């Protein structure tokens, strides 16, 4: 049986996951700008385009089987071993297919010069899929602390390797080494902490038994992947590798807050919501609370990047990237618009609303592709990003309707409560942007502009949250108070 899911277990595991992401945040905050100063936009673009294919094939190779392991009532080792060998066989076939078809895939993406990178990166697929079973065992046991440690180690080591090699003139191979170092260290770490040792046991019936759930998950994951990665492919084909590199560098930086908060929270919420599947009231409360908390944390970061994009791009990335500051700002804005949707995917996965998840993902993927392609067809990367913001605003409404309908929550009420922190962050960002545009010239140093803007924005946002989110703050205070009380009781016993 999976462990009992309660507030203490969820908050503890979220804490560990956020800690792992936060610990690598500082390093990435430094390494991404360093790499951007050393490498060219074309080099960033070549690796980013090639990685898109690798990630897509790795996702299909997993076929959702390991996600099915998480929600199984019993930890049946025959099923676990069978999934491991199925994943390994599929990943090796995917890697072989990519190696042989590298020229075709590179030409399809509009980057034939990246074919040699695809051949090398095909070996990443078994490395990435090889650890999925071990991670699923940790996830179903709600033991994210061990995963957190190895995430910190692998990401940190990969970032250090990339910077060192870039400094010594390895160029694009510095980014390649980062990917392989992180994947290999994480693979070894997951097996060490999960204590999982594969055995030569394979039962096709057990794998097929997970097929219905895994195929549904694969369909929605494919659609989500297209949503997130299609802009890179479209930009590469329409606008070239230089613009693809500018998009990649800006997207890497704008995605850091999501990597710190959202990726950590989503990994924990999936098994947590799964444990609440048959308790409607409890899961509805958990959905709204987790959505509000993640929006309160993420929205000011994303809208803050939008407000400070112009000085931030020059300070962090250097003058050669200064032209791309609107891209950074619009990417952050597009991600900020979707912060109220941050818990929707793990919720729909965890409570078994696969159909709503699938169709929401499909519609969003189609809308994103069409919008970005329309903007890029005009010959402008900025236009493509503007249309991405527009489609994300529509997605916010549509996704909220689908989730709150599945949950039984009144749509307008749910949309208002979940989006209120995002709207407060938008107001804060508009004020900061206005102040910088009007009086920013009085602060000639761009570093000081960023610091002053962040300080003013932080004060404005804190004031708005106190005025608008008092009920949420009381819930958080009560949760912390009860947690300390329970910890004190446990210690005394």
């Amino acid at each position: 049986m999976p462990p009992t899911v309660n507030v203490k277990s969820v908050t503890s595991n979220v804490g560990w996951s956020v800690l792992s992401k936060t610990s690598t945040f500082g390093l990435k905050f430094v390494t991404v700008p360093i790499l951007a100063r050393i490498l060219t936009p074309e080099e960033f673009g070549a690796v980013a385009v090639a990685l898109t294919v690798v990630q897509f094939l790795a996702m299909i190779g997993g076929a959702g089987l390991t996600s099915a392991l998480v929600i199984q009532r019993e930890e049946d080792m025959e099923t676990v071993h069978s999934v491991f060998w199925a994943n390994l066989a599929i990943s090796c076939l995917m890697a072989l297919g990519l190696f042989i078809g590298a020229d075709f895939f590179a030409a399809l993406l509009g980057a034939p010069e990246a074919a040699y990178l695809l051949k090398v990166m095909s070996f990443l697929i078994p490395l990435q899929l090889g650890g999925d079973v071990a991670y699923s065992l940790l996830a179903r046991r709600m033991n994210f602390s061990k995963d957190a440690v190895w995430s910190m180690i692998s990401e940190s080591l990969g970032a250090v390797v990339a910077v060192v090699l870039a400094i010594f003139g390895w160029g694009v191979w510095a980014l390649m080494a980062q990917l392989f170092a992180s994947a290999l260290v994480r693979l070894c770490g997951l097996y060490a902490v999960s204590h999982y040792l594969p055995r030569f046991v394979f039962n096709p019936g057990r794998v097929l038994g997970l097929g219905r759930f895994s195929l549904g998950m694969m369909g929605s994951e494919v659609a989500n992947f297209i949503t997130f990665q299609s802009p890179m492919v479209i930009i590469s084909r329409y606008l070239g590798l230089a613009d693809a590199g500018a998009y990649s560098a800006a997207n890497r930086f704008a995605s850091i807050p999501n990597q710190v908060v959202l990726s950590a929270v989503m990994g924990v919420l999936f098994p947590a919501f799964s444990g609440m599947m048959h308790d409607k009231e409890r899961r509805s409360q958990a959905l709204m609370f987790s959505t509000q908390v993640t929006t309160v944390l993420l929205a000011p970061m994303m809208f803050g990047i939008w407000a400070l994009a112009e000085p931030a791009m020059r300070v962090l990335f250097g003058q050669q990237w200064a032209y791309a500051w609107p891209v950074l700002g619009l990417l952050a804005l597009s991600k900020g618009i979707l912060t109220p949707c941050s818990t929707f995917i793990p919720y729909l996965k965890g409570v078994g609303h696969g159909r709503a998840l699938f169709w929401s993902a499909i519609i969003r993927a189609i809308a994103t592709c069409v919008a970005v392609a329309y903007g890029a067809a005009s010959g402008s990367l900025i236009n493509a990003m503007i249309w991405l913001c527009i489609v994300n605003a529509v997605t916010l409404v549509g996704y909220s309707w689908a989730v709150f309908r599945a949950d039984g929550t009144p749509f307008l009420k749910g949309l208002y409560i979940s989006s209120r922190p995002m709207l407060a962050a938008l107001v804060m960002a508009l004020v900061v942007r206005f102040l910088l545009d009007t009086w920013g010239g009085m602060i000639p140093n761009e570093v000081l502009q960023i610091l002053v803007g962040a300080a003013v924005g932080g004060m404005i946002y804190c004031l708005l949250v106190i005025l608008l989110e008092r009920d949420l703050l009381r819930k958080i205070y009560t949760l912390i108070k009860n947690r300390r009380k329970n910890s004190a009781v446990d210690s005394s016993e």
Side-chain angles (χ1 to χ4, degrees), residues 23-33 155 159 178 253 256 259:
S23 65
T24 58
F25 167 78
L27 192 57
K28 286 186 176 183
F29 187 86
V30 175
T31 56
V32 171
E155 292 292 337
Q178 179 183 18
F253 187 78
I256 289 176
Q259 293 172 354

Side-chain angles (χ1 to χ4, degrees), residues 43 83 87 98 141 160 185 190 210 234 258 262 299 334 345 401 431 445 468 477 488:
E43 288 172 326
V83 169
N87 261 20
L98 178 58
R141 298 166 188 168
V160 171
V185 172
L190 284 174
L210 302 178
I234 292 169
N258 280 346
L262 189 54
S334 70
I345 292 177
W401 178 83
V431 173
N445 189 303
L468 299 174
Y477 173 75

Side-chain angles (χ1 to χ4, degrees), residues 158-284:
V160 171
V161 167
V163 171
V164 171
L165 292 181
I167 291 175
F168 282 94
W170 283 55
V172 71
W173 296 106
L175 296 174
M176 299 285 285
Q178 179 183 18
L179 297 172
F180 277 93
S182 296
L184 183 59
V185 172
R186 179 169 169 74
L187 176 67
C188 296
L190 284 174
Y191 279 96
V193 297
S194 67
H195 304 294
Y196 172 64
L197 183 63
R199 295 177 57 189
F200 292 102
V201 175
F202 182 76
N203 186 330
R206 298 296 176 90
V207 175
L208 292 175
L210 302 178
R212 183 176 180 182
F213 177 86
S214 63
L215 287 176
M217 288 298 100
M218 184 180 70
S220 61
E221 290 296 335
V222 167
N224 286 326
F225 183 88
I226 292 173
T227 298
F228 297 127
Q229 300 297 333
S230 61
M232 172 62 66
V233 177
I234 292 169
I235 291 167
S236 174
R237 287 192 63 85
Y238 277 92
L239 304 175
L241 279 182
D243 277 351
Y247 171 85
S248 175
N251 192 48
R252 280 190 175 206
F253 187 78
S255 297
I256 289 176
N258 280 346
Q259 293 172 354
V260 173
V261 178
L262 189 54
S263 58
V265 171
M266 287 180 68
V268 177
L269 287 182
F270 169 40
F273 281 130
S274 178
M276 305 175 192
M277 183 182 299
H278 303 294
D279 190 339
K280 181 181 183 303
E281 182 179 357
R282 190 163 159 238
R283 74 170 190 253
S284 295

Side-chain angles (χ1 to χ4, degrees), residues 39-262:
L39 305 177
T40 66
E42 288 79 7
E43 288 172 326
F44 259 93
V47 173
V49 170
L51 187 60
T52 299
V53 181
V54 173
Q55 290 174 334
F56 179 73
L57 293 178
M59 181 194 59
I60 293 179
L65 291 173
T66 51
S67 295
L69 288 179
V70 174
I71 66 172
Q72 297 299 298
R73 292 185 62 83
E74 302 293 338
E75 193 174 291
D76 179 68
M77 293 310 298
E78 184 176 359
T79 303
V80 173
H81 296 319
S82 299
V83 169
F84 171 82
W85 292 113
N87 261 20
L88 182 61
I90 294 171
S91 65
C92 290
L93 288 175
M94 290 287 184
L96 179 61
L98 178 58
F99 187 88
I100 295 174
D103 292 327
F104 167 77
F105 285 112
L108 185 66
L109 296 172
E113 57 268 53
Y116 74 101
L117 294 177
L118 278 175
K119 290 185 177 182
V120 177
M121 292 173 73
S122 64
F123 294 98
L124 271 177
I125 298 176
L127 287 178
Q128 291 180 344
L129 285 180
D132 282 359
V133 169
Y135 174 79
S136 295
L137 293 175
L138 293 176
R140 65 172 285 110
R141 298 166 188 168
M142 295 294 286
N143 195 349
F144 288 89
S145 60
K146 294 179 179 179
D147 171 63
V149 172
W150 280 99
S151 292
M152 289 185 275
I153 294 173
S154 63
E155 292 292 337
S156 300
L157 181 61
V160 171
V161 167
V163 171
V164 171
L165 292 181
I167 291 175
F168 282 94
W170 283 55
V172 71
W173 296 106
L175 296 174
M176 299 285 285
Q178 179 183 18
L179 297 172
F180 277 93
S182 296
L184 183 59
V185 172
R186 179 169 169 74
L187 176 67
C188 296
L190 284 174
Y191 279 96
V193 297
S194 67
H195 304 294
Y196 172 64
L197 183 63
R199 295 177 57 189
F200 292 102
V201 175
F202 182 76
N203 186 330
R206 298 296 176 90
V207 175
L208 292 175
L210 302 178
R212 183 176 180 182
F213 177 86
S214 63
L215 287 176
M217 288 298 100
M218 184 180 70
S220 61
E221 290 296 335
V222 167
N224 286 326
F225 183 88
I226 292 173
T227 298
F228 297 127
Q229 300 297 333
S230 61
M232 172 62 66
V233 177
I234 292 169
I235 291 167
S236 174
R237 287 192 63 85
Y238 277 92
L239 304 175
L241 279 182
D243 277 351
Y247 171 85
S248 175
N251 192 48
R252 280 190 175 206
F253 187 78
S255 297
I256 289 176
N258 280 346
Q259 293 172 354
V260 173
V261 178
L262 189 54

Side-chain angles (χ1 to χ4, degrees), residues 445-492:
N445 189 303
E446 291 175 329
V447 175
L448 288 179
Q449 288 181 5
I450 296 173
L451 294 176
V452 171
V456 172
M459 289 187 292
I460 294 173
Y461 186 70
C462 287
L463 178 61
L464 291 174
V465 168
I466 292 172
L467 292 174
L468 299 174
E469 304 297 338
R470 283 171 291 185
D471 289 341
L472 176 63
L473 295 176
R474 277 194 291 266
K475 289 179 183 178
I476 296 174
Y477 173 75
T478 301
L479 179 65
I480 296 174
K481 183 178 179 181
N482 290 339
R483 180 175 174 80
R484 288 178 177 174
K485 182 178 179 180
N486 292 335
S487 299
V489 171
D490 294 340
S491 300
S492 63

